DNA sequence: TTTGTCGCTATCCAATCGGATAATGAACTC
DNA sequence: GAGTTCATTATCCGATTGGATAGCGACAAA
């Protein structure tokens, strides 16, 4: 009956009396118990990430998510309150995990832009191959066009873009990257690094190639270098 | 209960006694009636394409699809038999429409490879901007990993790849394209052309840019030229 | 040991899902 | 005009959905 199935706007301010937020340490330190809860929480988040990425928000059922996580489906409501909130926590979990995997050498401060860019591309391609669900979830999120896209944009994505733009423009000025619109260029680089893993099943079906093979990954890195750097 | 929710394998050979196939003309030429049916069929296909692309196979409901098409949900079963079959017909409809939009100048026979490639990129970017749901549906299809991915691969996608590979390799040999693995290069070009429109809502939310603006499209075309051609 | 917290489950609920069946009624054939 | 076809709908079905409620029972504090 035309009920709005899109995600509700994330009105929660993470501090009311909602069923507890993600940040690790619970108020009272009851060691064993809190650790168990945390592991359950992570299991649900990982399962939800996989299901959401593959079947979309509405296609993924909380029952299947909880089953893959080894708990009953009541847990999701108990911990996250609703499917909407679970989605948001999954997005947060995704970027938290990504930031945790950024290597410590990723300080653009004192190194040459090209060296830094090559390091970043190499890392990002490895990350995308390790976690193809990242790109898949982002595509789902973008296609969904719900109000939480705005939320994710200003919460996680925009800062990442603004972080990379200055270096890209410096490299453009030095004729090291093609002299085209920065946003356009960034998206092309991003897509060139990530989409091959997002669409891995298609490439396997069409060309019979396993893009996750380490040798293929190495070829892919070289391809991105050769294509964009000059 | 681990019920298999994935699409069933397309066992139908399009000729048994299933509820009639897509090809335009019905056996008996009953002018007005057949035309009405055809328009209903197209309305359902267009609506289904939009819904499937945005919400995925399981997220899109046949009731909403039929409502957007202006019919009751029984029609889908009557015409297509099942949701599975509707998905397959939508894929077919998508590529049929794409081929119908390929300009007549697209004969690679006697023209310079570069001229042909530039024409193709220009056309493909326009097509992707006109129909962002194409890329979205393909992403959904690939992510789903059902048996119909194999079907679509050999039915529609592989031939398209094989069509482009020889020209790409000739251009690589002439140092007109970066000398990297062909499959990898083709996917990067493809993604560079298409993903900006697939992810248009994200770009709008993050950078506030409307990628469908004709001037932006023109800039995008130049960006792809400048990035890949040398 | 006693008491209470809280991680977790069992179970119910209304809504919606894809699909099946039977009937309607306008367009067509004769 | 009578009879037939068939595009379309109304309506039912069992299964599954996200969510709500009422606990259970292992653990921790006393």
């Amino acid at each position: 009956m035309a009920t709005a199935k899109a995600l509700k706007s994330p009105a929660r301010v993470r501090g009311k009396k909602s069923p507890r937020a993600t940040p690790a340490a619970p108020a009272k330190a009851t060691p064993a118990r809190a650790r168990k809860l945390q592991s359950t929480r992570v299991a649900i988040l990982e399962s939800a990430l996989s299901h959401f990425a593959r079947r979309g928000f509405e296609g993924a059922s909380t029952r299947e998510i909880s089953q893959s996580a080894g708990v009953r489906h009541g847990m999701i409501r108990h911990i996250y309150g609703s499917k909407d909130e679970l989605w948001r926590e999954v997005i947060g979990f995704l970027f938290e995990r990504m930031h945790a995997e950024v290597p410590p050498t990723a300080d653009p401060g004192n190194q040459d832009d090209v060296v830094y860019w090559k390091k970043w591309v190499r890392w990002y391609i490895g990350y995308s191959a390790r976690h193809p669900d990242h790109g898949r979830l982002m595509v789902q999120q973008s296609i969904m066009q719900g109000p939480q896209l705005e939320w994710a944009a200003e919460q996680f994505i925009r800062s990442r873009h603004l972080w990379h733009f200055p270096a890209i423009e410096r490299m453009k000025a030095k004729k090291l990257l093609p002299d085209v619109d920065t946003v356009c260029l960034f998206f092309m680089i991003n897509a060139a690094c990530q989409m091959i893993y997002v669409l891995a099943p298609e490439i396997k079906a069409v060309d019979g190639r396993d893009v996750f093979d380490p040798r293929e990954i190495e070829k892919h890195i070289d391809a991105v270098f050769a294509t964009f750097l000059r």
Side-chain angles (χ1 to χ4, degrees), chain A:
Chain A
M1 205 192 278
T3 41
K5 292 177 101 182
L7 287 176
K8 280 166 247 149
S9 158
R12 197 175 68 87
V13 201
R14 179 177 293 229
K16 237 184 65 182
K17 72 173 183 180
S18 79
R20 182 171 295 173
T22 330
K28 291 187 176 182
T30 52
R33 235 162 135 169
R35 214 174 313 134
K36 185 73 201 309
L37 173 59
Q38 185 62 13
S39 86
T40 299
R41 190 194 306 278
V42 170
I44 292 178
L45 286 176
E46 281 174 344
S47 169
L49 169 57
S50 164
H51 279 82
F52 279 145
R54 264 176 254 280
R55 332 248 294 228
F57 176 75
E58 301 163 82
S61 90
T62 56
R63 280 173 166 84
E64 290 186 26
I65 290 172
S66 58
Q67 192 180 14
S68 301
V71 292
R72 298 317 123 219
H73 87 279
M75 274 298 328
I76 287 180
R77 146 117 178 149
H78 180 248
I79 297 186
Y80 298 102
S82 72
K83 199 183 181 186
D84 284 17
E85 189 59 31
L86 174 60
W87 173 276
R88 261 171 248 125
E89 296 284 349
V90 165
I91 301 285
F93 169 75
L94 182 71
F95 281 93
E96 206 172 285
R97 189 181 65 180
M98 185 181 82
H99 288 136
E101 289 193 22
V102 173
T105 62
D107 176 20
N110 292 324
Q111 37 190 329
D112 183 41
D113 279 330
V114 178
V115 174
Y116 175 68
W117 185 84
K118 289 176 87 167
K119 270 186 194 164
W120 178 80
V121 165
R122 180 173 286 277
W123 170 79
Y124 188 57
I125 286 179
Y127 170 80
S128 299
R130 221 159 35 239
H131 305 295
D133 283 344
H134 181 118
R136 289 174 188 155
L137 198 72
M138 288 295 100
V139 173
Q140 297 280 11
Q141 160 117 293
S142 177
I143 289 178
M144 231 192 312
Q145 278 172 304
Q148 24 68 34
L149 177 56
E150 308 284 343
W151 167 79
E154 61 180 78
Q155 196 85 10
F156 303 107
I157 312 175
R158 187 174 298 129
S159 61
R160 225 184 111 236
H161 284 212
L162 296 178
W163 173 266
H164 286 289
F165 284 180
I168 288 181
E169 296 195 331
R170 278 197 305 274
M171 289 178 70
K172 266 168 45 181
K174 290 188 211 160
K175 312 283 184 195
L176 296 168
L177 286 178
D179 186 28
V180 301
D181 176 82
T182 302
V183 173
C184 210
L185 179 57
F186 179 72
F187 261 90
M188 287 196 298
I189 295 174
N190 215 73
C193 291
Q194 190 175 54
M195 287 311 294
I196 281 186
Y197 305 103
V198 169
L199 300 178
E202 180 180 326
I203 302 181
K204 181 71 179 175
V206 174
D207 301 298
R209 175 177 298 191
D210 175 21
V211 294
F212 298 111
D213 182 303
R215 288 178 305 246
E216 293 296 333
I217 293 179
E218 217 45 53
K219 267 165 52 178
H220 180 206
I221 293 172
D222 291 338
V224 172
F225 288 170
T227 300
F228 290 94
L229 273 185
R230 39 214 59 184

